[in-house]
Amino acid sequence: MKHRNFKTVPRMIFGRGAFDQLDEVLAEQRKSSKDLVVFLVDEIHKDRPLGQRIPKHDQDMLIWLDVTDEPKTTYVDALTEQVQAYCREHNDGNDPVSIIGLGGGSSMDIAKAVALLLTNPGGAALYQGWDLIKNPAVHHVGIPTISGTGAEASRTTVLTGPEKKLGMNSDYTVFDQIIMDPDLVAGVEKNQWFYTGMDCYIHNVEALNGTYINEFARAFGDQSSQLCHEVFLEDHPESEEKLMMASYMGGQSIAYSQVGACHALSYGLSYVLGYHHGIGNCIAFNVLDDFYPEGVATFRKMMEKHNIDLPTNVCANLTDEQMNKMIQVCSGMAPLWDNVYGPSWKEKVTPELLRGLYEKM
Ligand code: NAD
Ligand code: ZN
């Protein structure tokens, strides 16, 4: 058996106030006075205090990101062109020395994608898949302002393309630096906090109950799960720190294992109905008692404790064509189903099974 040679984030800063060290981190990358940095920042921060704290130098570029929709290949292509035009005008066409993604999973994924596309021509859709990226990315930094996806730790950037929702998975995708500052997650709206936090909780349940599990992934997954319990079932005073670490460790766990049935179903929901990742996962997870009985029971306790209501009957008005597309997207997630059932998964993941689950949501 050949084991994976796993790339991790080489440098990280953790702690309240750590964001203030960003300028120092970037100084290491700036070699000449014309070297410029590109800040890709969730628009939510534009009129908030964080928006005023971005260490932008005169020559740098700042783009406020629209994350109304989850990242699309067309959006990252357009941003890449915008950055290239700016570099032609301000620095003889030289690439930026660093790309900063500041925000949630969407903003961090956009930053990863732009950093990759600056050095890999042809547009994002070409690289959706595993290890299709040829050249190292521009130096890129991830700074989460909402916790749960694990995008800060992972080797993927999830993009919706013309044909599929699929990540650009590669060693070059991994951030060169992350800054985890629990102060930055203040002010996240409660439902969103819950949905994105549950992404982490669900990553752990799926990894720990999957056939791909091993002691490496279990060590991170168990600890991440424990932190999620403290955050969502006990009112712990340091819950921002805890959820930030849970997210990172959940990301590490699935990097060496895999997610499962919930994520496969959620990808279908997202592709056809446009549900965002966190809420889509919650809708799907809530019908997975047969797959993850303990995990789902605990999830319901967490929902009840935080008064979270989920949409119901979300598939009631689907056309046959839409339902079939959803089933197709979902059953196409081969590694996820392999993790659930093992190599014989194709016999088990039937259209009837998936239709039945979607109809319950
Ligand atoms: P998000 O980035 O879309 O943000 C959710 C909402 O929270 C947005 O409205 C955003 O503006 C807001 N927000 C962010 N920080 C805030 C703050 N400090 N205060 C107030 N509001 C704030 O959501 P997400 O759940 O973090 O990320 C979802 C995306 O991540 C999806 O596109 C999903 O596919 C992707 N994802 C990626 C990975 C990976 O490994 N790369 C893993 C899981 C999910
Ligand atoms: Zn997820």
PDB file of all heavy atoms in Angstrom, residues 66 69-82 110 113-114 117 122-126 128 158-164 168:
ATOM      1  N   ASP A  66     -17.674  39.498  -3.018  1.00  0.00           N
ATOM      2  CA  ASP A  66     -19.101  39.214  -2.911  1.00  0.00           C
ATOM      3  C   ASP A  66     -19.243  37.709  -2.687  1.00  0.00           C
ATOM      4  O   ASP A  66     -18.924  36.915  -3.572  1.00  0.00           O
ATOM      5  CB  ASP A  66     -19.769  39.641  -4.222  1.00  0.00           C
ATOM      6  CG  ASP A  66     -21.257  39.347  -4.224  1.00  0.00           C
ATOM      7  OD1 ASP A  66     -21.752  38.739  -3.248  1.00  0.00           O
ATOM      8  OD2 ASP A  66     -21.920  39.722  -5.204  1.00  0.00           O
ATOM      9  N   ASP A  69     -23.096  34.198  -3.432  1.00  0.00           N
ATOM     10  CA  ASP A  69     -23.069  32.822  -3.934  1.00  0.00           C
ATOM     11  C   ASP A  69     -21.744  32.212  -3.518  1.00  0.00           C
ATOM     12  O   ASP A  69     -20.751  32.916  -3.380  1.00  0.00           O
ATOM     13  CB  ASP A  69     -23.120  32.803  -5.473  1.00  0.00           C
ATOM     14  CG  ASP A  69     -24.440  33.332  -5.989  1.00  0.00           C
ATOM     15  OD1 ASP A  69     -25.475  33.084  -5.340  1.00  0.00           O
ATOM     16  OD2 ASP A  69     -24.420  34.014  -7.036  1.00  0.00           O
ATOM     17  N   GLU A  70     -21.732  30.897  -3.368  1.00  0.00           N
ATOM     18  CA  GLU A  70     -20.460  30.246  -3.090  1.00  0.00           C
ATOM     19  C   GLU A  70     -19.559  30.386  -4.320  1.00  0.00           C
ATOM     20  O   GLU A  70     -20.049  30.571  -5.437  1.00  0.00           O
ATOM     21  CB  GLU A  70     -20.697  28.789  -2.699  1.00  0.00           C
ATOM     22  CG  GLU A  70     -21.445  28.740  -1.366  1.00  0.00           C
ATOM     23  CD  GLU A  70     -21.464  27.384  -0.698  1.00  0.00           C
ATOM     24  OE1 GLU A  70     -21.389  26.366  -1.394  1.00  0.00           O
ATOM     25  OE2 GLU A  70     -21.561  27.364   0.524  1.00  0.00           O
ATOM     26  N   PRO A  71     -18.238  30.332  -4.117  1.00  0.00           N
ATOM     27  CA  PRO A  71     -17.311  30.654  -5.212  1.00  0.00           C
ATOM     28  C   PRO A  71     -17.549  29.863  -6.507  1.00  0.00           C
ATOM     29  O   PRO A  71     -17.691  28.646  -6.486  1.00  0.00           O
ATOM     30  CB  PRO A  71     -15.948  30.308  -4.620  1.00  0.00           C
ATOM     31  CG  PRO A  71     -16.130  30.335  -3.145  1.00  0.00           C
ATOM     32  CD  PRO A  71     -17.549  30.018  -2.863  1.00  0.00           C
ATOM     33  N   LYS A  72     -17.574  30.614  -7.594  1.00  0.00           N
ATOM     34  CA  LYS A  72     -17.741  30.002  -8.919  1.00  0.00           C
ATOM     35  C   LYS A  72     -16.433  30.148  -9.686  1.00  0.00           C
ATOM     36  O   LYS A  72     -15.682  31.101  -9.477  1.00  0.00           O
ATOM     37  CB  LYS A  72     -18.824  30.755  -9.694  1.00  0.00           C
ATOM     38  CG  LYS A  72     -20.228  30.600  -9.148  1.00  0.00           C
ATOM     39  CD  LYS A  72     -21.225  31.145 -10.201  1.00  0.00           C
ATOM     40  CE  LYS A  72     -22.650  30.762  -9.912  1.00  0.00           C
ATOM     41  NZ  LYS A  72     -23.287  31.537  -8.846  1.00  0.00           N
ATOM     42  N   THR A  73     -16.235  29.231 -10.631  1.00  0.00           N
ATOM     43  CA  THR A  73     -15.025  29.307 -11.463  1.00  0.00           C
ATOM     44  C   THR A  73     -15.004  30.631 -12.236  1.00  0.00           C
ATOM     45  O   THR A  73     -13.951  31.245 -12.383  1.00  0.00           O
ATOM     46  CB  THR A  73     -14.955  28.128 -12.458  1.00  0.00           C
ATOM     47  OG1 THR A  73     -16.183  28.058 -13.181  1.00  0.00           O
ATOM     48  CG2 THR A  73     -14.715  26.813 -11.734  1.00  0.00           C
ATOM     49  N   THR A  74     -16.170  31.089 -12.700  1.00  0.00           N
ATOM     50  CA  THR A  74     -16.214  32.335 -13.473  1.00  0.00           C
ATOM     51  C   THR A  74     -15.788  33.524 -12.618  1.00  0.00           C
ATOM     52  O   THR A  74     -15.106  34.434 -13.087  1.00  0.00           O
ATOM     53  CB  THR A  74     -17.635  32.588 -14.015  1.00  0.00           C
ATOM     54  OG1 THR A  74     -18.570  32.361 -12.946  1.00  0.00           O
ATOM     55  CG2 THR A  74     -17.965  31.675 -15.176  1.00  0.00           C
ATOM     56  N   TYR A  75     -16.184  33.505 -11.347  1.00  0.00           N
ATOM     57  CA  TYR A  75     -15.834  34.621 -10.451  1.00  0.00           C
ATOM     58  C   TYR A  75     -14.320  34.652 -10.197  1.00  0.00           C
ATOM     59  O   TYR A  75     -13.686  35.704 -10.292  1.00  0.00           O
ATOM     60  CB  TYR A  75     -16.622  34.499  -9.142  1.00  0.00           C
ATOM     61  CG  TYR A  75     -16.483  35.676  -8.193  1.00  0.00           C
ATOM     62  CD1 TYR A  75     -16.528  36.994  -8.656  1.00  0.00           C
ATOM     63  CD2 TYR A  75     -16.314  35.471  -6.821  1.00  0.00           C
ATOM     64  CE1 TYR A  75     -16.409  38.071  -7.774  1.00  0.00           C
ATOM     65  CE2 TYR A  75     -16.204  36.538  -5.937  1.00  0.00           C
ATOM     66  CZ  TYR A  75     -16.246  37.833  -6.417  1.00  0.00           C
ATOM     67  OH  TYR A  75     -16.131  38.893  -5.544  1.00  0.00           O
ATOM     68  N   VAL A  76     -13.731  33.488  -9.912  1.00  0.00           N
ATOM     69  CA  VAL A  76     -12.290  33.496  -9.640  1.00  0.00           C
ATOM     70  C   VAL A  76     -11.496  33.809 -10.917  1.00  0.00           C
ATOM     71  O   VAL A  76     -10.458  34.468 -10.852  1.00  0.00           O
ATOM     72  CB  VAL A  76     -11.775  32.214  -8.952  1.00  0.00           C
ATOM     73  CG1 VAL A  76     -12.385  32.029  -7.578  1.00  0.00           C
ATOM     74  CG2 VAL A  76     -11.979  30.988  -9.771  1.00  0.00           C
ATOM     75  N   ASP A  77     -12.004  33.411 -12.064  1.00  0.00           N
ATOM     76  CA  ASP A  77     -11.332  33.791 -13.315  1.00  0.00           C
ATOM     77  C   ASP A  77     -11.342  35.309 -13.492  1.00  0.00           C
ATOM     78  O   ASP A  77     -10.330  35.917 -13.853  1.00  0.00           O
ATOM     79  CB  ASP A  77     -12.016  33.129 -14.529  1.00  0.00           C
ATOM     80  CG  ASP A  77     -11.744  31.628 -14.601  1.00  0.00           C
ATOM     81  OD1 ASP A  77     -10.834  31.152 -13.891  1.00  0.00           O
ATOM     82  OD2 ASP A  77     -12.450  30.935 -15.359  1.00  0.00           O
ATOM     83  N   ALA A  78     -12.489  35.929 -13.233  1.00  0.00           N
ATOM     84  CA  ALA A  78     -12.600  37.378 -13.389  1.00  0.00           C
ATOM     85  C   ALA A  78     -11.689  38.100 -12.390  1.00  0.00           C
ATOM     86  O   ALA A  78     -11.007  39.075 -12.737  1.00  0.00           O
ATOM     87  CB  ALA A  78     -14.051  37.820 -13.203  1.00  0.00           C
ATOM     88  N   LEU A  79     -11.643  37.609 -11.167  1.00  0.00           N
ATOM     89  CA  LEU A  79     -10.766  38.233 -10.161  1.00  0.00           C
ATOM     90  C   LEU A  79      -9.296  38.106 -10.561  1.00  0.00           C
ATOM     91  O   LEU A  79      -8.510  39.042 -10.411  1.00  0.00           O
ATOM     92  CB  LEU A  79     -10.973  37.574  -8.791  1.00  0.00           C
ATOM     93  CG  LEU A  79     -12.287  37.886  -8.077  1.00  0.00           C
ATOM     94  CD1 LEU A  79     -12.482  36.945  -6.880  1.00  0.00           C
ATOM     95  CD2 LEU A  79     -12.329  39.338  -7.600  1.00  0.00           C
ATOM     96  N   THR A  80      -8.948  36.942 -11.080  1.00  0.00           N
ATOM     97  CA  THR A  80      -7.554  36.729 -11.498  1.00  0.00           C
ATOM     98  C   THR A  80      -7.178  37.734 -12.586  1.00  0.00           C
ATOM     99  O   THR A  80      -6.098  38.341 -12.542  1.00  0.00           O
ATOM    100  CB  THR A  80      -7.364  35.279 -12.007  1.00  0.00           C
ATOM    101  OG1 THR A  80      -7.831  34.385 -10.996  1.00  0.00           O
ATOM    102  CG2 THR A  80      -5.906  34.976 -12.318  1.00  0.00           C
ATOM    103  N   GLU A  81      -8.088  37.935 -13.539  1.00  0.00           N
ATOM    104  CA  GLU A  81      -7.802  38.908 -14.617  1.00  0.00           C
ATOM    105  C   GLU A  81      -7.664  40.325 -14.061  1.00  0.00           C
ATOM    106  O   GLU A  81      -6.813  41.100 -14.502  1.00  0.00           O
ATOM    107  CB  GLU A  81      -8.907  38.860 -15.673  1.00  0.00           C
ATOM    108  CG  GLU A  81      -8.704  37.682 -16.616  1.00  0.00           C
ATOM    109  CD  GLU A  81      -9.907  37.440 -17.516  1.00  0.00           C
ATOM    110  OE1 GLU A  81     -10.669  38.398 -17.786  1.00  0.00           O
ATOM    111  OE2 GLU A  81     -10.084  36.269 -17.937  1.00  0.00           O
ATOM    112  N   GLN A  82      -8.515  40.617 -13.079  1.00  0.00           N
ATOM    113  CA  GLN A  82      -8.456  41.947 -12.453  1.00  0.00           C
ATOM    114  C   GLN A  82      -7.088  42.142 -11.774  1.00  0.00           C
ATOM    115  O   GLN A  82      -6.476  43.203 -11.892  1.00  0.00           O
ATOM    116  CB  GLN A  82      -9.560  41.991 -11.402  1.00  0.00           C
ATOM    117  CG  GLN A  82     -10.238  43.327 -11.214  1.00  0.00           C
ATOM    118  CD  GLN A  82     -11.294  43.200 -10.103  1.00  0.00           C
ATOM    119  OE1 GLN A  82     -12.037  42.212 -10.007  1.00  0.00           O
ATOM    120  NE2 GLN A  82     -11.364  44.209  -9.246  1.00  0.00           N
ATOM    121  N   ILE A 110     -11.475  31.446  -2.369  1.00  0.00           N
ATOM    122  CA  ILE A 110     -11.240  32.350  -3.504  1.00  0.00           C
ATOM    123  C   ILE A 110      -9.757  32.748  -3.540  1.00  0.00           C
ATOM    124  O   ILE A 110      -9.121  32.748  -4.594  1.00  0.00           O
ATOM    125  CB  ILE A 110     -12.153  33.594  -3.413  1.00  0.00           C
ATOM    126  CG1 ILE A 110     -13.612  33.187  -3.674  1.00  0.00           C
ATOM    127  CG2 ILE A 110     -11.702  34.682  -4.386  1.00  0.00           C
ATOM    128  CD1 ILE A 110     -14.636  34.278  -3.373  1.00  0.00           C
ATOM    129  N   ALA A 113      -7.678  29.974  -4.847  1.00  0.00           N
ATOM    130  CA  ALA A 113      -7.888  29.787  -6.285  1.00  0.00           C
ATOM    131  C   ALA A 113      -7.148  30.857  -7.089  1.00  0.00           C
ATOM    132  O   ALA A 113      -6.469  30.544  -8.074  1.00  0.00           O
ATOM    133  CB  ALA A 113      -9.380  29.806  -6.606  1.00  0.00           C
ATOM    134  N   VAL A 114      -7.248  32.104  -6.669  1.00  0.00           N
ATOM    135  CA  VAL A 114      -6.581  33.179  -7.417  1.00  0.00           C
ATOM    136  C   VAL A 114      -5.060  32.977  -7.368  1.00  0.00           C
ATOM    137  O   VAL A 114      -4.366  33.115  -8.383  1.00  0.00           O
ATOM    138  CB  VAL A 114      -6.998  34.574  -6.887  1.00  0.00           C
ATOM    139  CG1 VAL A 114      -6.136  35.679  -7.493  1.00  0.00           C
ATOM    140  CG2 VAL A 114      -8.483  34.832  -7.167  1.00  0.00           C
ATOM    141  N   LEU A 117      -4.299  30.354  -9.900  1.00  0.00           N
ATOM    142  CA  LEU A 117      -4.569  30.685 -11.309  1.00  0.00           C
ATOM    143  C   LEU A 117      -3.608  31.726 -11.862  1.00  0.00           C
ATOM    144  O   LEU A 117      -3.430  31.829 -13.075  1.00  0.00           O
ATOM    145  CB  LEU A 117      -6.019  31.144 -11.465  1.00  0.00           C
ATOM    146  CG  LEU A 117      -7.020  30.012 -11.187  1.00  0.00           C
ATOM    147  CD1 LEU A 117      -8.440  30.540 -11.165  1.00  0.00           C
ATOM    148  CD2 LEU A 117      -6.884  28.894 -12.209  1.00  0.00           C
ATOM    149  N   GLY A 122      -5.336  29.407 -18.066  1.00  0.00           N
ATOM    150  CA  GLY A 122      -6.398  28.671 -18.750  1.00  0.00           C
ATOM    151  C   GLY A 122      -7.741  28.674 -18.048  1.00  0.00           C
ATOM    152  O   GLY A 122      -8.730  28.212 -18.607  1.00  0.00           O
ATOM    153  N   GLY A 123      -7.795  29.169 -16.824  1.00  0.00           N
ATOM    154  CA  GLY A 123      -9.091  29.251 -16.139  1.00  0.00           C
ATOM    155  C   GLY A 123      -9.298  28.116 -15.164  1.00  0.00           C
ATOM    156  O   GLY A 123      -8.773  27.006 -15.319  1.00  0.00           O
ATOM    157  N   ALA A 124     -10.104  28.398 -14.142  1.00  0.00           N
ATOM    158  CA  ALA A 124     -10.261  27.484 -13.000  1.00  0.00           C
ATOM    159  C   ALA A 124     -10.877  26.142 -13.392  1.00  0.00           C
ATOM    160  O   ALA A 124     -10.494  25.102 -12.850  1.00  0.00           O
ATOM    161  CB  ALA A 124     -11.112  28.157 -11.929  1.00  0.00           C
ATOM    162  N   ALA A 125     -11.827  26.149 -14.333  1.00  0.00           N
ATOM    163  CA  ALA A 125     -12.553  24.910 -14.644  1.00  0.00           C
ATOM    164  C   ALA A 125     -11.609  23.801 -15.121  1.00  0.00           C
ATOM    165  O   ALA A 125     -11.874  22.621 -14.925  1.00  0.00           O
ATOM    166  CB  ALA A 125     -13.634  25.174 -15.683  1.00  0.00           C
ATOM    167  N   LEU A 126     -10.481  24.225 -15.706  1.00  0.00           N
ATOM    168  CA  LEU A 126      -9.479  23.248 -16.181  1.00  0.00           C
ATOM    169  C   LEU A 126      -8.875  22.422 -15.049  1.00  0.00           C
ATOM    170  O   LEU A 126      -8.357  21.333 -15.281  1.00  0.00           O
ATOM    171  CB  LEU A 126      -8.301  24.002 -16.820  1.00  0.00           C
ATOM    172  CG  LEU A 126      -8.295  24.318 -18.285  1.00  0.00           C
ATOM    173  CD1 LEU A 126      -6.960  24.969 -18.633  1.00  0.00           C
ATOM    174  CD2 LEU A 126      -8.484  23.043 -19.096  1.00  0.00           C
ATOM    175  N   GLN A 128     -10.343  21.685 -11.923  1.00  0.00           N
ATOM    176  CA  GLN A 128     -11.224  21.070 -10.923  1.00  0.00           C
ATOM    177  C   GLN A 128     -10.989  19.565 -10.935  1.00  0.00           C
ATOM    178  O   GLN A 128     -11.284  18.901 -11.935  1.00  0.00           O
ATOM    179  CB  GLN A 128     -12.690  21.352 -11.251  1.00  0.00           C
ATOM    180  CG  GLN A 128     -13.133  22.780 -10.942  1.00  0.00           C
ATOM    181  CD  GLN A 128     -14.593  22.958 -11.294  1.00  0.00           C
ATOM    182  OE1 GLN A 128     -14.936  23.121 -12.469  1.00  0.00           O
ATOM    183  NE2 GLN A 128     -15.459  22.916 -10.293  1.00  0.00           N
ATOM    184  N   VAL A 158     -12.972  24.738  -3.018  1.00  0.00           N
ATOM    185  CA  VAL A 158     -14.195  24.200  -3.612  1.00  0.00           C
ATOM    186  C   VAL A 158     -14.835  25.236  -4.547  1.00  0.00           C
ATOM    187  O   VAL A 158     -15.135  26.349  -4.128  1.00  0.00           O
ATOM    188  CB  VAL A 158     -15.208  23.812  -2.506  1.00  0.00           C
ATOM    189  CG1 VAL A 158     -16.442  23.168  -3.121  1.00  0.00           C
ATOM    190  CG2 VAL A 158     -14.567  22.882  -1.487  1.00  0.00           C
ATOM    191  N   LEU A 159     -15.023  24.852  -5.800  1.00  0.00           N
ATOM    192  CA  LEU A 159     -15.565  25.793  -6.782  1.00  0.00           C
ATOM    193  C   LEU A 159     -16.729  25.168  -7.552  1.00  0.00           C
ATOM    194  O   LEU A 159     -16.705  23.978  -7.870  1.00  0.00           O
ATOM    195  CB  LEU A 159     -14.486  26.190  -7.792  1.00  0.00           C
ATOM    196  CG  LEU A 159     -13.225  26.852  -7.235  1.00  0.00           C
ATOM    197  CD1 LEU A 159     -12.210  27.062  -8.346  1.00  0.00           C
ATOM    198  CD2 LEU A 159     -13.555  28.182  -6.558  1.00  0.00           C
ATOM    199  N   THR A 160     -17.716  26.000  -7.863  1.00  0.00           N
ATOM    200  CA  THR A 160     -18.800  25.549  -8.723  1.00  0.00           C
ATOM    201  C   THR A 160     -18.467  25.963 -10.146  1.00  0.00           C
ATOM    202  O   THR A 160     -18.265  27.148 -10.413  1.00  0.00           O
ATOM    203  CB  THR A 160     -20.136  26.172  -8.286  1.00  0.00           C
ATOM    204  OG1 THR A 160     -20.332  25.841  -6.903  1.00  0.00           O
ATOM    205  CG2 THR A 160     -21.294  25.635  -9.096  1.00  0.00           C
ATOM    206  N   GLY A 161     -18.356  24.983 -11.015  1.00  0.00           N
ATOM    207  CA  GLY A 161     -17.984  25.256 -12.407  1.00  0.00           C
ATOM    208  C   GLY A 161     -19.145  25.028 -13.334  1.00  0.00           C
ATOM    209  O   GLY A 161     -20.256  24.739 -12.879  1.00  0.00           O
ATOM    210  N   PRO A 162     -18.900  25.126 -14.633  1.00  0.00           N
ATOM    211  CA  PRO A 162     -19.973  24.941 -15.615  1.00  0.00           C
ATOM    212  C   PRO A 162     -20.561  23.542 -15.550  1.00  0.00           C
ATOM    213  O   PRO A 162     -21.738  23.342 -15.826  1.00  0.00           O
ATOM    214  CB  PRO A 162     -19.277  25.176 -16.953  1.00  0.00           C
ATOM    215  CG  PRO A 162     -17.811  25.096 -16.695  1.00  0.00           C
ATOM    216  CD  PRO A 162     -17.602  25.421 -15.253  1.00  0.00           C
ATOM    217  N   GLU A 163     -19.768  22.562 -15.176  1.00  0.00           N
ATOM    218  CA  GLU A 163     -20.259  21.182 -15.171  1.00  0.00           C
ATOM    219  C   GLU A 163     -20.353  20.566 -13.803  1.00  0.00           C
ATOM    220  O   GLU A 163     -21.061  19.594 -13.596  1.00  0.00           O
ATOM    221  CB  GLU A 163     -19.345  20.302 -16.031  1.00  0.00           C
ATOM    222  CG  GLU A 163     -19.577  20.490 -17.502  1.00  0.00           C
ATOM    223  CD  GLU A 163     -18.383  20.052 -18.317  1.00  0.00           C
ATOM    224  OE1 GLU A 163     -17.650  19.157 -17.852  1.00  0.00           O
ATOM    225  OE2 GLU A 163     -18.168  20.629 -19.398  1.00  0.00           O
ATOM    226  N   LYS A 164     -19.598  21.067 -12.860  1.00  0.00           N
ATOM    227  CA  LYS A 164     -19.573  20.383 -11.569  1.00  0.00           C
ATOM    228  C   LYS A 164     -19.155  21.318 -10.457  1.00  0.00           C
ATOM    229  O   LYS A 164     -18.560  22.375 -10.694  1.00  0.00           O
ATOM    230  CB  LYS A 164     -18.616  19.188 -11.631  1.00  0.00           C
ATOM    231  CG  LYS A 164     -17.226  19.570 -12.068  1.00  0.00           C
ATOM    232  CD  LYS A 164     -16.414  18.370 -12.547  1.00  0.00           C
ATOM    233  CE  LYS A 164     -15.157  18.853 -13.249  1.00  0.00           C
ATOM    234  NZ  LYS A 164     -14.550  17.906 -14.126  1.00  0.00           N
ATOM    235  N   MET A 168     -10.285  22.320  -6.535  1.00  0.00           N
ATOM    236  CA  MET A 168      -8.965  22.181  -7.150  1.00  0.00           C
ATOM    237  C   MET A 168      -8.097  21.636  -6.018  1.00  0.00           C
ATOM    238  O   MET A 168      -7.682  22.375  -5.127  1.00  0.00           O
ATOM    239  CB  MET A 168      -8.440  23.544  -7.620  1.00  0.00           C
ATOM    240  CG  MET A 168      -9.309  24.201  -8.680  1.00  0.00           C
ATOM    241  SD  MET A 168      -8.448  25.512  -9.584  1.00  0.00           S
ATOM    242  CE  MET A 168      -8.484  26.851  -8.422  1.00  0.00           C
TER     243      MET A 168
END
